[in-house]
Amino acid sequence: MQCSCTKKTKVKWSAKRKFRVTLFVILALIILALFYYFKVVCPVIVSLSEEKVRSIATSAISEVVGDTLINEGITYNDIVKVRYSEDNKIDLIEVDSIEANILIRKITKGVQDKFDNLGNKSLEIALGTFTGIPFLYGLGSSVSIQLVPVGTINTKLSSKFVSAGINQSLHQLYFVVNAGIGMILPAKTQNFNTELEVLLCESVIVGKVPEVYLQGNLI
């Protein structure tokens, strides 16, 4: 009788030990999986997603800039005024601040509307990408990653002078936008700032451009 109780006790403790070992193994696998996801998989997905988001943002901004310039009929000469002295040397290069501000406001509103609509878009990432193994990228069914606009966008005009030959300079005006964009990843939300630069207009200026303009920003 005593022997039977001892066997039952051993069997009971053995079952408990197996349960604890099994539970420990399961928890260890979960922890390893989470560690692998956040340390290996997430950086890969974020990197790939950022490139796609930047492409979407660049396309949206370019579309807004192009549509605004066409609809308003604005050209380089409407924004920038080049004044020459009596001996035909460049005396002054200035931006029409009123025209520039009107243009910036219109483009900014269009870009803001485009970015607000990012909430209706999503990125498709292949399931194989979540393994973090390069040769599996792009394989398997797709997982949707939701895009969300974060905060507001900041915009400005920027100018550059590039040599275009003897006594000729190419003056380029760029529309620069800095925006916050978020991505809702599985078990994580990733935010990042992106600054994009889109050519607004350009023109070749004949004559030697004073150093004050070449060394600084006209805007």
Side-chain angles (χ1 to χ4, degrees):
M1 192 72 177
Q2 185 177 359
C3 181
S4 178
C5 290
T6 302
K7 287 182 178 180
K8 288 182 179 180
T9 303
K10 287 182 178 179
V11 171
K12 186 177 181 180
W13 277 105
S14 178
K16 285 185 177 180
R17 189 177 294 120
K18 288 182 179 179
F19 174 75
R20 289 175 181 174
V21 171
T22 303
L23 182 61
F24 175 79
V25 171
I26 292 174
L27 290 176
L29 290 175
I30 292 174
I31 292 173
L32 287 174
L34 290 174
F35 178 83
Y36 185 79
Y37 173 77
F38 285 106
K39 293 297 183 180
V40 178
V41 178
C42 258
V44 172
I45 295 176
V46 169
S47 178
L48 293 175
S49 299
E50 281 189 14
E51 292 301 319
K52 291 186 178 182
V53 170
R54 292 181 197 282
S55 176
I56 292 174
T58 300
S59 177
I61 293 172
S62 298
E63 182 181 346
V64 171
V65 170
D67 290 345
T68 303
L69 291 177
I70 292 175
N71 293 336
E72 301 297 326
I74 296 176
T75 64
Y76 175 89
N77 292 328
D78 295 322
I79 304 174
V80 181
K81 307 299 180 184
V82 181
R83 303 184 187 278
Y84 292 86
S85 60
E86 293 181 356
D87 54 356
N88 206 32
K89 290 183 179 180
I90 295 176
D91 186 45
L92 179 66
I93 303 175
E94 64 178 353
V95 172
D96 188 325
S97 58
I98 295 177
E99 284 290 343
N101 287 331
I102 292 175
L103 181 61
I104 289 177
R105 284 199 298 270
K106 289 180 178 179
I107 295 178
T108 299
K109 184 181 183 304
V111 172
Q112 183 71 66
D113 292 341
K114 285 281 187 181
F115 273 56
D116 287 343
N117 289 329
L118 283 179
N120 299 323
K121 292 182 177 292
S122 61
L123 297 178
E124 300 297 325
I125 303 295
L127 199 58
T129 306
F130 286 85
T131 63
I133 303 174
F135 69 83
L136 293 179
Y137 292 174
L139 298 179
S141 57
S142 298
V143 176
S144 294
I145 295 179
Q146 195 69 27
L147 299 180
V148 290
V150 180
T152 57
I153 63 172
N154 296 313
T155 59
K156 65 178 181 178
L157 286 183
S158 176
S159 65
K160 294 180 182 179
F161 288 93
V162 180
S163 176
I166 300 176
N167 283 336
Q168 290 185 342
S169 297
L170 177 64
H171 182 210
Q172 301 172 315
L173 285 180
Y174 288 89
F175 181 76
V176 183
V177 55
N178 185 284
I181 301 175
M183 296 179 294
I184 301 178
L185 304 173
K188 184 178 181 181
T189 298
Q190 180 71 33
N191 298 331
F192 68 93
N193 288 323
T194 180
E195 183 169 282
L196 302 167
E197 189 177 74
V198 179
L199 181 63
L200 193 62
C201 56
E202 61 183 3
S203 179
V204 174
I205 298 177
V206 180
K208 185 177 180 180
V209 178
E211 290 295 325
V212 66
Y213 298 117
L214 294 177
Q215 295 176 356
N217 198 326
L218 181 62
I219 306 301

